[in-house]
Amino acid sequence: MVGFKATDVPPTATVKFLGAGTAACIADLITFPLDTAKVRLQIQGERQGPVRAIASAQYRGVLGTILTMVRTEGPRSLYNGLVAGLQRQMSFASVRIGLYDSVKQFYTKGSEHAGIGSRLLAGSTTGALAVAVAQPTDVVKVRFQAQARAGGGRRYQSTIDAYKTIAREEGFRGLWKGTSPNVARNAIVNCAELVTYDLIKDALLKANLMTGSCPPFSVWVPGTW
């Protein structure tokens, strides 16, 4: 681009989209056992009364849950649903984070000065849109994390099998179960994360505490900050 040095050219929407999804996949690879432990703790005792559930709790605490799963189901059980999890991140984070700048520019009609209202609208829009796109991957991921490897009673044998089984047994809408609360949650989370980041970055730039321009979660190049 004329008038720009190589390090000054802002990344395209495609680069932001792919960059956000790839970064989220890497983060998911590292934190997936913690997510699996969270799901197991959340569903523990769902078919029992409260007193019996407490007395017969199989999992106790995050570390205890991880150690129990490794002992009874093997280390690989911590990564049940990883394929669906990576599919989720590639579709979810790419839209939620990667399209934030583009949607913000749409609401501001290309203006460089975005108000708090435009930022909140952009955060809510990309957060809700991301859920609408990625909800089936989230449903399959959680179903895999919830099913135990021990005992041989696994309902889903593969990621593709899970999509097919849910659609066949529960209808196509079964893949979008829980969409409404998930949309509300992620619209709020996206506003809290991206809008806060956006505002703090602008404040730091205006106070001359840093120089250059780095859109939210874009590809960073040394010398641009």
Side-chain angles (χ1 to χ4, degrees):
M1 295 175 64
V2 178
F4 284 96
K5 295 183 297 182
T7 56
D8 291 333
V9 178
T12 64
T14 301
V15 170
K16 295 177 187 178
F17 189 87
L18 294 176
T22 302
C25 285
I26 294 172
D28 214 31
L29 283 170
I30 298 171
T31 63
F32 203 80
L34 295 174
D35 191 35
T36 301
K38 178 206 71 172
V39 171
R40 289 294 182 93
L41 286 168
Q42 286 177 320
I43 67 170
Q44 182 169 241
E46 65 176 352
R47 296 182 179 179
Q48 303 172 349
V51 175
R52 185 182 173 189
I54 294 174
S56 62
Q58 181 182 9
Y59 307 116
R60 297 182 184 276
V62 176
L63 182 59
T65 300
I66 291 175
L67 292 176
T68 298
M69 290 182 65
V70 170
R71 185 176 65 253
T72 59
E73 304 174 46
R76 291 181 61 185
S77 64
L78 296 173
Y79 286 89
N80 280 353
L82 177 62
V83 173
L86 296 179
Q87 291 172 348
R88 174 184 180 273
Q89 292 295 357
M90 203 65 208
S91 55
F92 179 75
S94 296
V95 174
R96 183 176 76 88
I97 299 174
L99 294 185
Y100 172 77
D101 275 341
S102 298
V103 174
K104 182 177 70 173
Q105 290 173 4
F106 171 78
Y107 282 126
T108 59
K109 295 180 173 57
S111 173
E112 292 294 327
H113 304 287
I116 182 66
S118 298
R119 299 176 204 249
L120 289 173
L121 277 173
S124 299
T125 300
T126 56
L129 183 60
V131 172
V133 171
Q135 185 66 12
T137 63
D138 198 25
V139 170
V140 170
K141 175 187 76 75
V142 172
R143 295 285 184 93
F144 260 103
Q145 289 174 315
Q147 70 175 3
R149 284 182 179 271
R154 301 179 65 197
R155 183 180 180 189
Y156 310 114
Q157 303 305 315
S158 68
T159 303
I160 297 298
D161 177 60
Y163 286 116
K164 291 180 178 179
T165 300
I166 294 172
R168 182 177 64 251
E169 296 181 357
E170 304 171 42
F172 195 67
R173 294 178 62 183
L175 291 169
W176 271 269
K177 284 185 175 179
T179 298
S180 296
N182 215 8
V183 165
R185 173 185 177 275
N186 280 286
I188 295 171
V189 167
N190 217 38
C191 285
E193 288 182 355
L194 299 191
V195 176
T196 300
Y197 170 90
D198 218 2
L199 291 171
I200 292 175
K201 185 202 72 174
D202 281 355
L204 292 174
L205 288 173
K206 289 178 181 178
N208 293 319
L209 296 178
M210 61 177 65
T211 59
S213 177
C214 185
F217 300 93
S218 63
V219 177
W220 177 76
V221 180
T224 59
W225 274 60

